[in-house]
Amino acid sequence: MLYPNTVESKLGFDKIRELLKQACISPLGQDYVDKIRYTDNFQLIDKLLRQTAEFKQIVQYEPDFPSSNYIDVRPHLSKARIEGMALSEAEFFDIKLSLRTIQQCLKFLEQRETNSYPFLTELAGPVAIDKKLTEALERVIDDRGHVRDTASPELANIRRRIIAENSNLRKRLDSILKQARAQGWIPDDLSLTVRSGRLVIPLAAEHKRKIKGFIHDESATGQTVFIEPAEVFDANNEVRELEYEERREIYRILLALTDQLRPHLPDVQKAVNFLAMIDFIRAKARLASQLDAGMPKLVNRPLVNWTDARHPLLYLSFQKQGKKVIPLTVRLDETQRILIISGPNAGGKSVALKTIGLTQYMLQCGLLVPVTDYSEMGVFQNLFIDIGDEQSIENDLSTYSSHLTAMRQFLVGANKRTLFLIDEFGTGTEPGQGGAIAEAILEELNKSGAYGVINTHYTNLKVFADKTDGLINGAMRFDGEHLEPLYALEMGRPGSSFAFEIASKINLPNAVINRAKEKLGSQQVNFEKLLKELDIEKRVFAEKNLEVGINQRKLAQQLAEYTALKTKLENEQKQLLNDAKQKAKALVQEANQRIENTIREIKENKAEREATRQVRQNLEQFEKQTLKTEILVDEPKPQQQEEFEASDGAITVGSYVRLIGQNTVGEVLSLRGKDAEIRIGDLKSTVKLNRLEKVSRKVFREATGKEERPRVQGVDINEKMMNFSFNLDIRGKRGEEALGELDQFIDNALMLGYPELRIVHGKGDGILRTLVRNHLRGYPQVARMEDEHADRGGPGVTIVKMK
């Protein structure tokens, strides 16, 4: 159920219809545009959306789809149903071109992969055109829309005779014309012409008696007459009779062709309806491309979970002006069904309301909508709106009465599958009473379980929404410092009307503003002031949170680097200890072996003095050579402070500096206010400028013992993390260009550690998809690849899982 009956004009859907009609090629599609109706049939909506989504791909990536000769032949088919009626050459020519376009559409769908366009293929399923009928049309009607000479032997014979008779007739007239011109009866610039279907000679009026014949016509001035010589009467009559015979034969052929067409009229009618649907769906797809619209996730229950929704008409208008629409993100579900939007005038409340209404209406009419493809959109049985002024002199309705009439309809018809939209709820009467009635109506609407969005300035409704289950406050964001609307919806908190602040901005006298605050009362003023302060504080803390987030990412990165370095050093230390232990163990074993050998030799020589001395000498020699202690080389002492030679000039990026009071030298990498980031060896540090002293390049080389290090531009990981998107779109790119972007994309993903990536390459003939997947198999870091879910692109998108 829709309320009121002017819902389309109030939401702007009538303009959407006009845009669709403009996108149609012929009246065939335009008739279907007029038949668009709001529906809550989930299966039908899903089918219509998928058909349009498939055709959007064709519009974007298949330029060879037939786009001409979408001719409306329905009047011709109705005429052909009458027995004894013959269609004309032009009518058969229209049917021929139309059937040719239909066959091209069917051929296009047949040549694509089975699952490329399943819903359009299903639409084409019942369409069948008898081959004999198309062959008959081709045999009879040529590509100029005339009956062919070969349509029948009799027609061919007649046309040959006409040509022969015309040739003889022209020769005889040329001879007469030549004689008359020689006599001076005919000017040199005149030649044979036709009057009343007969060849005649133009003759000067004063000489018309010189040639016997019949005068058919004269010029406007009367100076020239057009005469048919008597001697060619019979020849002209013969030609006319042959032309009559030709006309009768053509009629006989067209009558026979019409009789041949008549049994196929039901099939041809189906084919024409298919062409009309193609024109209609193509128009919807073209509009979707203009709006950058897509197919959201459709659910068979009331739900509004939209991300980056844009008002379609506002989007097109801003696009022409080179401006961008601020997108709308909103969620209404079982726990928060009714959204109360507040905020200043001209802040975008009404646009947000109409965006929700028009987008939902378009979806349930089978049109793609300008929201992100991961948005969720439900289906509503009823759509009630109260936007604008419905006052009526005839029905004795004031503005407020018209609003209350609408509210009565809302209360009677609202249920759990209803979406209602109310602009400026409760206005039009005394604010206190109007606010109370509005609160009571809102309470009843909440009890009905309906979903809705309401714009209001009433504080009591904001408070009621904050305290009542099922309701949620929302605010159109407003820059409280500069008093400028931001046109962005923020859910979860009420908005201030900023009436006093706006009054101050337009230079309303302060005395008037202060007096107004006194009349309003401190409680209401403090409430509005608190809302304003909260808005400003939220913006400040949002910026702080962003800064904290960046610092946390930097800290996490530095911690990861520190942990990796610490682990590396510990492993190297353990490796050195293990190597030392192995060498020590080998030395101990060798020393024990030598001692045992020494003892054995002493025993064998029975402790003879010379032999014992020699054995001991060998053991001492082993100790001196093998177990000799390595002498450590003393580290060179750093140069004293007075050896450094200071350099003139200010410290800039790239300067060489020394820490005052120390012997450490380094290079300046960057300057930030009174701080400088310097590199000392392989370490970086931030130091106050007043603690640094500039030195020359020579001093730097002598202190470090090396040449100037080449500057290497580092990679800003934080910036890459903020700018990186896990989604890569390479549709329409050539293979080499696509693979180049793919390599850079994978490198960044590996650097940042993304576990899952999404590559959009489109379906088409599958060439780019195969190229991408074969290339990805060469990356050892890729664990597996799979198609995206059918609702989000299917085989046109590859999901890459990383190891």
Side-chain angles (χ1 to χ4, degrees):
M1 177 182 174
L2 299 175
Y3 180 86
N5 54 11
T6 57
V7 61
E8 288 196 1
S9 60
K10 285 183 171 294
L11 292 177
F13 190 77
D14 53 341
K15 296 182 176 62
I16 297 294
R17 285 189 191 270
E18 289 302 318
L19 292 173
L20 284 173
K21 285 186 176 182
Q22 294 173 16
C24 291
I25 300 176
S26 76
L28 290 170
Q30 293 175 353
D31 286 349
Y32 273 100
V33 173
D34 291 330
K35 296 176 182 177
I36 292 178
R37 293 294 181 270
Y38 179 90
T39 178
D40 62 343
N41 187 324
F42 178 81
Q43 286 73 23
L44 177 59
I45 296 172
D46 184 67
K47 180 179 179 181
L48 295 175
L49 291 177
R50 294 185 184 278
Q51 287 175 349
T52 309
E54 289 179 2
F55 218 114
K56 183 184 174 186
Q57 289 188 336
I58 293 176
V59 168
Q60 292 177 332
Y61 308 115
E62 304 277 5
D64 56 336
F65 189 86
S67 59
S68 60
N69 294 326
Y70 284 68
I71 303 172
D72 186 3
V73 298
R74 291 173 297 184
H76 308 340
L77 300 181
S78 299
K79 181 179 176 182
R81 287 190 176 89
I82 304 173
E83 292 288 340
M85 184 67 72
L87 298 181
S88 66
E89 291 175 292
E91 291 168 338
F92 269 120
F93 186 54
D94 287 346
I95 293 174
K96 173 185 172 180
L97 294 178
S98 181
L99 292 180
R100 181 182 294 174
T101 301
I102 293 168
Q103 287 177 319
Q104 291 172 348
C105 294
L106 296 175
K107 185 178 179 182
F108 174 90
L109 294 173
E110 289 172 359
Q111 290 177 343
R112 295 309 181 270
E113 294 181 5
T114 306
N115 295 324
S116 295
Y117 307 110
F119 285 86
L120 292 177
T121 303
E122 179 187 359
L123 183 67
V127 180
I129 302 175
D130 194 316
K131 188 177 180 182
K132 293 181 180 179
L133 175 61
T134 56
E135 289 176 349
L137 288 171
E138 288 289 344
R139 185 177 65 252
V140 173
I141 306 297
D142 63 16
D143 288 338
R144 294 177 301 169
H146 303 300
V147 175
R148 298 181 188 272
D149 295 346
T150 56
S152 73
E154 181 64 22
L155 181 62
N157 181 48
I158 293 172
R159 286 180 172 174
R160 280 195 299 270
R161 290 166 59 193
I162 289 175
I163 293 172
E165 290 293 335
N166 269 323
S167 178
N168 293 332
L169 175 61
R170 187 172 288 275
K171 287 179 181 178
R172 294 170 64 181
L173 285 174
D174 282 340
S175 175
I176 298 172
L177 184 67
K178 186 177 181 181
Q179 293 176 4
R181 187 176 285 128
Q183 296 292 331
W185 302 338
I186 300 174
D188 293 338
D189 59 339
L190 295 180
S191 61
L192 296 177
T193 184
V194 177
R195 288 293 185 273
S196 302
R198 303 174 76 91
L199 275 172
V200 295
I201 294 175
L203 192 68
E206 63 268 22
H207 301 298
K208 61 183 178 181
R209 304 295 181 187
K210 303 290 179 67
I211 298 177
K212 294 181 179 182
F214 180 78
I215 298 176
H216 285 273
D217 196 5
E218 66 177 16
S219 64
T221 60
Q223 295 180 358
T224 303
V225 296
F226 299 93
I227 188 169
E228 180 185 2
E231 58 187 282
V232 297
F233 278 174
D234 292 339
N236 257 329
N237 288 338
E238 181 66 22
V239 171
R240 293 301 298 271
E241 288 178 6
L242 289 173
E243 288 176 349
Y244 293 148
E245 286 185 34
E246 179 190 25
R247 194 177 306 167
R248 288 193 295 270
E249 181 61 18
I250 288 175
Y251 178 79
R252 186 193 66 79
I253 293 170
L254 294 178
L255 183 61
L257 187 58
T258 306
D259 292 338
Q260 188 175 354
L261 169 66
R262 193 170 293 113
H264 300 285
L265 285 177
D267 290 337
V268 175
Q269 185 67 54
K270 284 183 182 179
V272 173
N273 289 339
F274 166 74
L275 190 62
M277 283 295 296
I278 288 294
D279 188 20
F280 172 57
I281 298 171
R282 180 178 177 275
K284 293 197 296 181
R286 289 183 62 190
L287 179 62
S289 297
Q290 294 174 13
L291 295 174
D292 192 21
M295 180 173 175
K297 183 179 179 182
L298 195 64
V299 293
N300 193 12
R301 58 185 175 87
L303 177 66
V304 174
N305 185 16
W306 305 352
T307 303
D308 291 346
R310 303 176 300 279
H311 192 287
L313 300 175
L314 192 63
Y315 177 82
L316 293 177
S317 176
F318 276 23
Q319 196 175 44
K320 294 177 181 178
Q321 302 173 39
K323 298 191 295 186
K324 290 186 177 180
V325 175
I326 305 299
L328 178 73
T329 298
V330 60
R331 178 181 178 87
L332 300 178
D333 55 23
E334 294 84 353
T335 58
Q336 49 184 42
R337 292 175 288 99
I338 301 176
L339 172 63
I340 309 298
I341 302 179
S342 50
N345 288 323
K349 298 191 301 298
S350 296
V351 173
L353 197 74
K354 291 182 179 180
T355 300
I356 294 172
L358 181 56
T359 302
Q360 188 67 41
Y361 195 89
M362 287 176 62
L363 178 89
Q364 295 194 225
C365 287
L367 300 177
L368 299 181
V369 289
V371 300
T372 57
D373 54 3
Y374 51 84
S375 297
E376 293 179 298
M377 296 189 68
V379 176
F380 293 90
Q381 183 181 33
N382 304 319
L383 178 61
F384 300 154
I385 68 169
D386 181 26
I387 300 174
D389 190 358
E390 290 290 340
Q391 62 178 328
S392 170
I393 298 176
E394 292 81 3
N395 296 326
D396 194 23
L397 284 178
S398 66
T399 299
Y400 188 62
S401 298
S402 69
H403 286 309
L404 288 184
T405 302
M407 293 304 101
R408 182 186 62 192
Q409 295 293 335
F410 285 20
L411 293 174
V412 171
N415 57 32
K416 294 182 178 180
R417 297 194 62 191
T418 297
L419 176 65
F420 63 85
L421 307 171
I422 305 175
D423 193 22
E424 298 298 341
F425 191 32
T427 57
T429 188
E430 192 275 322
Q433 297 178 9
I437 294 176
E439 184 174 336
I441 293 173
L442 179 58
E443 187 174 1
E444 290 300 314
L445 289 173
N446 186 36
K447 290 179 181 178
S448 71
Y451 291 67
V453 182
I454 294 173
N455 291 344
T456 187
H457 288 284
Y458 286 153
T459 302
N460 66 311
L461 297 183
K462 304 176 192 177
V463 175
F464 180 72
D466 188 55
K467 296 180 179 180
T468 307
D469 292 338
L471 276 66
I472 182 173
N473 271 306
M476 299 308 298
R477 294 191 59 195
F478 192 81
D479 188 343
E481 295 182 76
H482 302 93
L483 298 179
E484 294 177 351
L486 302 176
Y487 304 111
L489 174 64
E490 182 178 352
M491 296 186 64
R493 70 173 187 85
S496 170
S497 296
F498 290 90
F500 294 126
E501 289 78 8
I502 295 174
S504 298
K505 184 179 180 181
I506 64 173
N507 296 322
L508 197 68
N510 291 331
V512 174
I513 297 173
N514 293 332
R515 183 61 179 159
K517 289 180 179 180
E518 292 175 4
K519 290 179 175 294
L520 183 62
S522 61
Q523 183 178 0
Q524 180 65 27
V525 172
N526 291 336
F527 181 79
E528 294 290 331
K529 181 181 178 182
L530 179 61
L531 287 178
K532 174 186 173 183
E533 291 174 353
L534 286 175
D535 184 70
I536 296 174
E537 287 180 5
K538 183 165 185 180
R539 291 182 56 209
V540 171
F541 282 113
E543 295 173 359
K544 292 291 184 183
N545 287 337
L546 179 61
E547 184 179 349
V548 169
I550 294 174
N551 291 335
Q552 285 180 340
R553 285 194 292 272
K554 287 183 178 179
L555 180 61
Q557 178 191 351
Q558 292 174 355
L559 181 60
E561 293 175 355
Y562 168 77
T563 304
L565 180 60
K566 181 173 178 292
T567 303
K568 180 181 178 182
L569 291 175
E570 288 177 350
N571 290 338
E572 290 179 354
Q573 182 182 23
K574 290 177 182 178
Q575 185 64 41
L576 290 173
L577 288 174
N578 290 337
D579 293 344
K581 289 178 181 178
Q582 290 293 333
K583 291 181 179 179
K585 184 177 180 181
L587 289 173
V588 169
Q589 289 177 349
E590 186 177 355
N592 289 336
Q593 185 65 38
R594 286 184 175 272
I595 292 172
E596 290 176 1
N597 292 341
T598 301
I599 295 172
R600 188 177 64 253
E601 290 181 9
I602 291 173
K603 288 181 179 179
E604 289 177 353
N605 294 322
K606 297 180 180 180
E608 292 184 4
R609 182 176 298 175
E610 185 60 30
T612 301
R613 187 179 62 78
Q614 185 63 37
V615 171
R616 286 179 175 175
Q617 250 181 358
N618 292 339
L619 186 60
E620 290 173 359
Q621 190 69 23
F622 166 75
E623 180 184 359
K624 289 179 181 179
Q625 293 180 353
T626 307
L627 302 180
K628 180 181 179 181
T629 303
E630 297 291 341
I631 298 175
L632 298 177
V633 179
D634 292 338
E635 295 182 4
K637 294 183 179 180
Q639 295 181 356
Q640 297 299 319
Q641 179 178 343
E642 59 271 10
E643 294 178 9
F644 285 96
E645 179 182 351
S647 178
D648 296 333
I651 296 175
T652 60
V653 175
S655 298
Y656 301 106
V657 295
R658 177 181 69 86
L659 291 171
I660 298 175
Q662 299 182 27
N663 298 321
T664 305
V665 294
E667 180 184 3
V668 177
L669 299 179
S670 64
L671 296 175
R672 292 191 293 272
K674 296 182 179 180
D675 295 335
E677 184 182 14
I678 64 173
R679 178 173 58 212
I680 304 173
D682 292 328
L683 300 177
K684 295 180 183 178
S685 179
T686 301
V687 183
K688 296 289 184 182
L689 279 173
N690 56 13
R691 293 187 54 203
L692 298 176
E693 180 183 36
K694 188 176 181 181
V695 298
S696 64
R697 181 180 301 179
K698 178 181 177 182
V699 171
F700 174 80
R701 286 200 303 266
E702 291 175 353
T704 57
K706 55 185 175 182
E707 296 293 330
E708 178 184 2
R709 294 181 58 176
R711 298 179 184 175
V712 179
Q713 185 174 357
V715 177
D716 192 340
I717 300 296
N718 297 312
E719 183 179 356
K720 281 191 174 292
M721 290 180 69
M722 292 178 65
N723 296 331
F724 182 77
S725 171
F726 69 95
N727 188 79
L728 175 65
D729 190 345
I730 55 175
R731 289 176 293 183
K733 298 185 182 295
R734 296 181 177 274
E736 184 177 352
E737 181 186 2
L739 293 183
E741 290 192 13
L742 180 61
D743 285 335
Q744 184 178 2
F745 177 69
I746 295 296
D747 290 342
N748 290 335
L750 291 172
M751 181 190 304
L752 301 176
Y754 272 75
E756 181 175 313
L757 307 173
R758 188 174 187 269
I759 301 172
V760 183
H761 42 63
K763 297 177 183 178
D765 295 328
I767 298 174
L768 187 57
R769 175 181 59 200
T770 303
L771 190 65
V772 166
R773 294 189 178 183
N774 288 340
H775 188 70
L776 287 174
R777 291 189 180 97
Y779 281 90
Q781 297 89 349
V782 175
R784 69 179 189 275
M785 294 170 282
E786 61 189 33
D787 289 346
E788 175 62 283
H789 190 275
D791 291 342
R792 295 185 291 276
V797 179
T798 295
I799 301 298
V800 183
K801 306 284 187 178
M802 309 300 287
K803 293 182 180 178

